[in-house]
Amino acid sequence: MQNERIQWAPKVSQAKIWALYQSDARGLVDETLIDDVGFALFQRCQSIIMVTERRRVVCPRCAQIVCCSGERWFREHAIVCPDCGWSASYGQYRDSWRHQDLQGGNAMYAFRAFAEGYQRAAPRERMLLIDWLINAFHWSLKHSRRHGPAATQLIAGSAEQVLALLDRLAGSDTNAGQVQ
Ligand SMILES: [Zn+2]
């Protein structure tokens, strides 16, 4: 059904991330803002993990997590929600993540570490985790690693815009003195 299309978490807006860093640079611990950005990143990481592993999807009808009966979904594995009966073809599933920048690649360790650590972290630790995730990607973008981590999978905008944002963020935090 058209209105039961598989949904993945969207990228996080640059404005939100910039606002969080501005707040942090002023020494504030704005828990609402941290959770706003952090939870959006958390959901995006979960979507990336699900798509990359290709064996779990959130049922768009009842929000239950549907697991693959095999190692990962291919054409021969049915995608059916055991709770409500919602189903999708492999083609619909594949179309749902195509061109969405949801392939984790070599950055999977970072997406996984963030997704696993975020929910049990205290607010100040959450800010550190967000900063860690963002800087991990910064390094990779600067060095243009073809298969390395890419902040463009997490943050909205073109690769150039995302890199410009990360450069501005680096200038506004306590690591500003590091060698260029
Ligand atoms: Zn369902």
Side-chain angles (χ1 to χ4, degrees):
M1 278 181 234
Q2 289 303 317
N3 58 346
E4 292 187 342
R5 288 209 337 255
I6 298 166
Q7 302 276 337
W8 303 108
K11 294 180 183 182
V12 182
S13 85
Q14 299 205 3
K16 271 188 183 181
I17 289 171
W18 179 246
L20 175 64
Y21 271 75
Q22 290 295 95
S23 161
D24 189 62
R26 289 197 297 271
L28 305 173
V29 182
D30 185 336
E31 292 188 25
T32 308
L33 196 51
I34 291 171
D35 277 349
D36 191 21
V37 172
F39 193 66
L41 286 169
F42 173 76
Q43 288 187 303
R44 181 72 184 172
C45 284
Q46 285 203 311
S47 285
I48 289 168
I49 292 165
M50 285 191 193
V51 166
T52 306
E53 292 178 343
R54 228 179 282 182
R55 58 184 322 278
R56 284 179 301 157
V57 66
V58 178
C59 173
R61 188 186 291 171
C62 75
Q64 184 64 243
I65 291 179
V66 181
C67 295
C68 181
S69 57
E71 210 167 274
R72 52 164 42 194
W73 271 307
F74 295 105
R75 231 164 255 293
E76 58 267 31
H77 296 290
I79 302 173
V80 181
C81 175
D83 276 32
C84 74
W86 167 84
S87 67
S89 68
Y90 182 76
Q92 288 169 327
Y93 171 67
R94 191 193 48 206
D95 286 348
S96 76
W97 47 257
R98 188 179 270 174
H99 306 311
Q100 301 284 319
D101 294 334
L102 285 161
Q103 298 296 337
N106 287 357
M108 277 297 278
Y109 79 93
F111 299 127
R112 277 213 180 88
F114 185 84
E116 283 164 15
Y118 184 75
Q119 286 197 304
R120 54 173 186 261
R124 191 169 276 284
E125 294 170 336
R126 288 184 168 182
M127 182 63 215
L128 293 175
L129 269 176
I130 292 168
D131 190 48
W132 171 79
L133 184 65
I134 283 174
N135 280 308
F137 294 114
H138 195 190
W139 181 86
S140 155
L141 268 183
K142 267 205 182 291
H143 294 267
S144 306
R145 285 167 66 102
R146 205 165 149 222
H147 302 291
T152 49
Q153 283 161 301
L154 293 172
I155 302 171
S158 69
E160 292 75 18
Q161 288 168 338
V162 172
L163 183 55
L165 172 72
L166 298 188
D167 281 339
R168 281 194 293 145
L169 296 181
S172 70
D173 73 16
T174 52
N175 294 325
Q178 72 193 11
V179 179
Q180 295 298 304

